[in-house]
Amino acid sequence: RDMEKRFGAALLLTVPVFLASMAEMIPRVPFHRFLESPAARWAQFFLSVPVVLWAGAPLWARAARSVLQRHLNMFTLIGLGLGAAYGQSVLALLRPQWIPASLRSHDGAAPLYFEAAAVITTLVLLGQVLEGRARGKTRGALRTLLALTPKTARRVDDQGNGEDVPLDELRTGDRLRVRPGEK
């Protein structure tokens, strides 16, 4: 439930950040000039902060845990990617002069990657939500299978005679008979 709540909030805030960052690629966007303004850059920042830092907090925690335990995994890579995209964007927003001129756009603005950090966070949260649902269904299926476990089994002796015995009395090497329709 927590991941679903985080995913929902992340999706709601990521869509405008993504659209704002990609608007220059859409022909005849009427508010194209606004999207290149400093206000739009700050809007991307403010919309992506809760996505990356709050909604993505479980991802950051797993990434940190993987590094501390020296057991690098997918979350290490996710944390590295989020940290690079988000950190570079914050630096470009607050200290654009620290970004080399060769990496800036034609108007001298340092590139922002808030949308990459927000989209990655949102997609990984979606994956976590889907994985959680699948695990829940798997647990339910296992419970159903365990409910089918019989309380007794028919043990067959060397003469072919069978007797019903509790499962805890069965030993390795016992021969069992399962009749049609039995569990």
Side-chain angles (χ1 to χ4, degrees):
R1 288 187 188 125
D2 180 56
M3 283 293 182
E4 288 177 359
K5 182 171 57 172
R6 289 174 187 273
F7 169 69
L11 182 62
L12 187 68
L13 296 171
T14 297
V15 169
V17 173
F18 178 76
L19 292 176
S21 68
M22 297 296 149
E24 67 186 33
M25 296 181 189
I26 302 171
R28 297 186 209 111
V29 174
F31 48 91
H32 182 40
R33 289 286 178 224
F34 168 74
L35 296 174
E36 294 177 347
S37 72
R41 295 168 68 84
W42 281 99
Q44 287 184 45
F45 168 74
F46 286 118
L47 288 170
S48 66
V49 166
V51 173
V52 175
L53 300 182
W54 174 76
L59 310 178
W60 289 107
R62 288 181 180 179
R65 191 170 35 251
S66 72
V67 170
L68 292 174
Q69 294 175 349
R70 295 186 179 143
H71 183 72
L72 306 181
N73 56 28
M74 175 186 76
F75 291 101
T76 314
L77 184 59
I78 291 167
L80 185 61
L82 288 177
Y86 192 74
Q88 192 280 333
S89 297
V90 170
L91 180 68
L93 188 64
L94 300 178
R95 297 281 186 247
Q97 67 274 17
W98 291 3
I99 304 296
S102 61
L103 297 178
R104 296 184 196 183
S105 64
H106 63 280
D107 62 354
L112 299 179
Y113 300 102
F114 289 123
E115 89 285 349
V119 168
I120 290 169
T121 302
T122 304
L123 290 176
V124 172
L125 288 171
L126 172 62
Q128 293 298 296
V129 166
L130 294 175
E131 182 181 337
R133 288 181 183 170
R135 282 185 183 163
K137 289 180 182 178
T138 302
R139 265 188 230 110
L142 286 174
R143 282 190 197 107
T144 303
L145 283 174
L146 288 174
L148 294 175
T149 305
K151 306 293 183 239
T152 61
R154 179 164 292 274
R155 182 170 41 199
V156 179
D157 61 18
D158 292 336
Q159 288 76 34
N161 300 323
E163 70 172 316
D164 288 337
V165 295
L167 289 181
D168 57 353
E169 290 184 19
L170 294 177
R171 301 290 173 246
T172 303
D174 284 350
R175 291 186 329 170
L176 305 176
R177 176 177 295 144
V178 180
R179 294 175 291 196
E182 289 184 331
K183 296 180 185 177

